Amino acid sequence: MLENSSKPSSKKDILAFVNELEEKFPVYEWKYEGIDLWPFIRQLIFQHFLKKKITTKKKRKAISIKNLFRSYRAYSKFFRSLTQIEFLFSAYEAHRNRIHNISFNRFADPVMDQLLELSYTSLLLEQSKTDKVTSSVYKRERFQALDNALEWINIKFKIRKKLIKQKPIILIGFDDFLSHISKVDIALIKKINRTRVGNIALRVRENKLFAKMLLKRTKPKAVLLVCYYGEWQQALIVAAKEKNIPTYDIQHGIIYEEHYSYGKFSGFPATGLSTLPDFFCTWSKYEANILNSWLPNSSHKAIPLGNPWLMAFQENKVPKIQNLSEIIELNKKLILYTLGNRGEQFPPYLVSLIRENSSEYEFWFRLHPRQLFELEKIKQELSELGIINLVNIEEGTFQPLPNILNHTDLHITLMSSVAIEAANMGVPSIILHKEGREYYEDHEIRTYCTFFEEGDDLGDQVRTVLSLKLQSRSYEVGLKELTRKIVSTTSENY
């Protein structure tokens, strides 16, 4: 398949291509100072064929004396503020929701609250801008923005790279690997080459050195990450492993068999990889089974614990929220449409549904967290389509999702993981995109999903699905049990 083959286009084909590479080349031997590099290269391959940016690079300022001192002062202030805690969390700003102008990290804060009830201390490190988040963050005393510190680490990396000659990174069989992938797509070697991989290795090493200092200062019993993949997150994992501190990934979105960071690693080594967490905390057994099908239990393991944010709402563990009944028009069914990053966002049949049924249904639109900076652009697009006054994009985007789902009659999406959260609250979904069918056709929430096909009448589908009577799905454990499981797993294994 590797030689003279067509470019893989679907996620299934890309995974098959990547798995063949894992079987043919010594990819698990590609290491640098204890850092396993294959997961980063694997992400680059997926990123290339999907023509998708996995992470957004921020435009860095040129290094000047002023920037140097400003950045170092901010880094020093950050480091001096650190104190000893028992559980360290690391997450992204994209995981935040606002309730009454208070900003919550929806996957970290519920667990941290439960840890506090069990008399454990914790700290949340977040890749976010201090001035943008800090003023409204929930329980500010246990939060630290990371951007300023990481900016200093990036400056150190650039200076070190210019002034100190680095040892060459030895990657056995890498030239043969490059030769093979170039025969599938010559453009691949512009993204995957010795220089690119070398820079990743050096940046992760610089972040790892910082993470080790941070861990020495805070002395946590465990490290919990919301979305483990990314150079800082994985550097923190490596540093924790070197200090024999267990690491956990808290599921933040959909996990499926062809996911670039959660899908199958072929020939996965029994000793595991230093850049993957020890434990994956999933929303259900379905996701845990996907991971455990290729994870050797001796080194990494997936454990189904539930969705902390939904649990917090179901158990009334969040501050009093707005009663949306005051906003939703009386006698109208509420339809929530969640946008995504694949396919046409506003297909004609969806626009027609809204235009023809606005007197019967109320339509709320919810942006993906990474689309928030495009809000005005999307509003303009809706205006051009003539439906801006027929949808509620502000409430749909900024109200907490569980609160919306508690009032929602039907969810429509291209392929969003909100389908899983909707099912857990007894809300059916219509899946519009063909990739969505691949995600959910064999998923445990299958009975909550209806798949739209080209030529179907979406209006008829909506009326049929709205007539269904579905029950909400309950988690096997509660939020307190979820937290106790993390604590006990830490105590038992380390």
Side-chain angles (χ1 to χ4, degrees):
M1 173 183 170
L2 291 174
E3 293 190 35
N4 303 316
S5 62
S6 59
K7 298 177 188 178
S9 55
S10 71
K11 289 183 179 179
K12 184 178 256 184
D13 290 341
I14 299 169
L15 181 65
F17 173 62
V18 166
N19 286 162
E20 282 197 59
L21 293 173
E22 290 165 340
E23 293 167 8
K24 189 173 183 68
F25 298 97
V27 297
Y28 298 118
E29 296 176 26
W30 298 344
K31 305 173 188 285
Y32 180 66
E33 296 192 8
I35 301 163
D36 283 301
L37 298 173
W38 174 241
F40 300 104
I41 300 170
R42 176 182 159 114
Q43 286 181 44
L44 290 175
I45 295 173
F46 271 89
Q47 177 184 357
H48 172 77
F49 286 117
L50 292 173
K51 295 179 174 57
K52 170 184 174 184
K53 288 186 178 180
I54 294 174
T55 56
T56 302
K57 292 284 183 184
K58 296 176 183 176
K59 189 176 181 180
R60 298 287 182 180
K61 298 175 182 176
I63 300 176
S64 65
I65 298 297
K66 183 178 179 181
N67 284 342
L68 193 66
F69 281 102
R70 180 194 59 76
S71 182
Y72 180 70
R73 283 196 302 270
Y75 164 79
S76 299
K77 182 179 179 182
F78 165 84
F79 211 81
R80 287 195 305 270
S81 70
L82 298 176
T83 57
Q84 186 172 337
I85 43 87
E86 290 164 294
F87 289 87
L88 180 68
F89 289 73
S90 184
Y92 294 91
E93 184 183 340
H95 304 136
R96 292 205 157 268
N97 253 155
R98 282 182 176 270
I99 302 177
H100 301 309
N101 292 320
I102 298 174
S103 177
F104 293 81
N105 186 297
R106 59 187 183 275
F107 300 113
D109 277 322
V111 182
M112 296 173 78
D113 281 347
Q114 286 302 305
L115 285 169
L116 185 61
E117 284 192 19
L118 296 171
S119 300
Y120 292 105
T121 56
S122 60
L123 172 68
L124 171 59
L125 303 176
E126 191 173 275
Q127 294 186 54
S128 56
K129 289 190 175 296
T130 310
D131 56 350
K132 185 177 179 181
V133 173
T134 304
S135 61
S136 61
V137 75
Y138 176 63
K139 295 192 176 176
R140 173 67 185 86
E141 69 278 5
R142 66 185 192 192
F143 167 87
Q144 284 289 347
L146 263 176
D147 271 21
N148 288 333
L150 293 181
E151 182 179 10
W152 169 248
I153 300 306
N154 184 65
I155 289 174
K156 275 181 64 182
F157 161 72
K158 288 181 177 179
I159 294 173
R160 189 193 294 266
K161 189 179 174 186
K162 283 185 178 181
L163 300 181
I164 303 173
K165 186 177 181 180
Q166 303 295 327
K167 294 179 182 178
I169 297 172
I170 299 171
L171 304 173
I172 299 170
F174 194 68
D175 290 336
D176 290 338
F177 171 83
L178 291 178
S179 175
H180 267 289
I181 65 174
S182 69
K183 291 171 184 174
V184 175
D185 187 352
I186 189 66
L188 247 183
I189 58 175
K190 292 181 180 178
K191 290 188 176 178
I192 302 171
N193 49 58
R194 285 189 177 275
T195 301
R196 181 78 178 269
V197 173
N199 283 335
I200 290 173
L202 294 172
R203 283 197 304 271
V204 175
R205 181 192 64 178
E206 203 68 49
N207 278 285
K208 183 187 81 166
L209 294 174
F210 167 53
K212 290 183 79 169
M213 292 171 60
L214 189 152
L215 293 172
K216 183 178 179 180
R217 180 97 172 184
T218 55
K219 295 180 171 58
K221 298 176 184 289
V223 172
L224 298 97
L225 308 105
V226 182
C227 182
Y228 82 88
Y229 47 92
E231 290 180 7
W232 158 251
Q233 300 281 77
Q234 288 171 276
L236 179 58
I237 290 171
V238 178
K241 286 176 183 285
E242 291 183 2
K243 289 182 169 290
N244 201 36
I245 299 171
T247 53
Y248 297 80
D249 174 62
I250 300 175
Q251 183 177 345
H252 67 286
I254 188 169
I255 289 177
Y256 51 93
E257 292 179 351
E258 295 83 22
H259 193 285
Y260 53 83
S261 291
Y262 296 110
K264 178 185 176 183
F265 282 66
S266 187
F268 191 81
T271 52
L273 294 179
S274 65
T275 43
L276 264 62
D278 300 302
F279 301 98
F280 294 86
C281 302
T282 66
W283 292 348
S284 73
K285 288 181 180 178
Y286 176 83
E287 292 92 356
N289 289 340
I290 287 176
L291 288 156
N292 285 329
S293 67
W294 57 267
L295 286 172
N297 289 335
S298 58
S299 55
H300 305 272
K301 185 178 181 181
I303 45 180
L305 293 179
N307 183 323
W309 190 228
L310 286 190
M311 287 178 171
F313 268 82
Q314 291 171 343
E315 298 174 21
N316 296 315
K317 295 283 178 70
V318 293
K320 187 177 180 181
I321 53 178
Q322 183 176 6
N323 182 357
L324 297 185
S325 299
E326 301 169 356
I327 302 173
I328 301 166
E329 197 170 332
L330 192 64
N331 299 323
K332 279 191 177 183
K333 299 281 189 182
L334 178 60
I335 296 178
L336 174 67
Y337 175 64
T338 52
L339 283 69
N341 56 5
R342 302 281 282 178
E344 187 179 2
Q345 295 297 309
F346 310 114
Y349 48 82
L350 176 67
V351 174
S352 296
L353 175 76
I354 295 168
R355 285 175 178 162
E356 296 167 10
N357 296 276
S358 60
S359 61
E360 187 176 357
Y361 309 130
E362 184 159 343
F363 294 92
W364 285 22
F365 278 21
R366 187 175 187 84
L367 273 60
H368 187 279
R370 289 196 175 95
Q371 293 175 312
L372 292 178
F373 69 96
E374 295 182 292
L375 177 59
E376 294 307 315
K377 177 184 173 184
I378 290 171
K379 283 182 178 179
Q380 179 60 35
E381 190 173 350
L382 293 174
S383 180
E384 291 170 2
L385 290 169
I387 59 172
I388 185 65
N389 295 322
L390 303 180
V391 303
N392 187 334
I393 195 169
E394 295 287 343
E395 300 292 349
T397 296
F398 295 110
Q399 284 284 347
L401 179 61
N403 195 27
I404 296 174
L405 291 174
N406 198 37
H407 295 80
T408 297
D409 296 285
L410 172 64
H411 168 236
I412 301 177
T413 185
L414 295 171
M415 63 187 80
S416 170
S417 63
V418 171
I420 300 172
E421 295 162 291
N424 286 332
M425 298 190 72
V427 178
S429 294
I430 294 179
I431 312 296
L432 302 179
H433 198 280
K434 62 181 180 180
E435 277 192 32
R437 177 184 281 274
E438 293 175 14
Y439 295 165
Y440 297 117
E441 196 159 35
D442 297 319
H443 199 284
E444 63 181 16
I445 67 160
R446 171 65 182 85
T447 54
Y448 293 80
C449 297
T450 298
F451 301 104
F452 179 82
E453 297 284 356
E454 201 68 41
D456 287 349
D457 186 311
L458 184 58
D460 287 345
Q461 244 180 11
V462 165
R463 284 182 280 277
T464 299
V465 174
L466 283 172
S467 68
L468 301 176
K469 301 295 182 185
L470 299 171
Q471 299 294 316
S472 60
R473 302 167 73 243
S474 59
Y475 289 110
E476 293 183 10
V477 298
L479 193 53
K480 183 171 287 188
E481 288 74 20
L482 178 157
T483 308
R484 287 186 187 278
K485 180 66 174 176
I486 290 172
V487 172
S488 65
T489 301
T490 300
S491 302
E492 291 166 7
N493 291 276
Y494 293 84

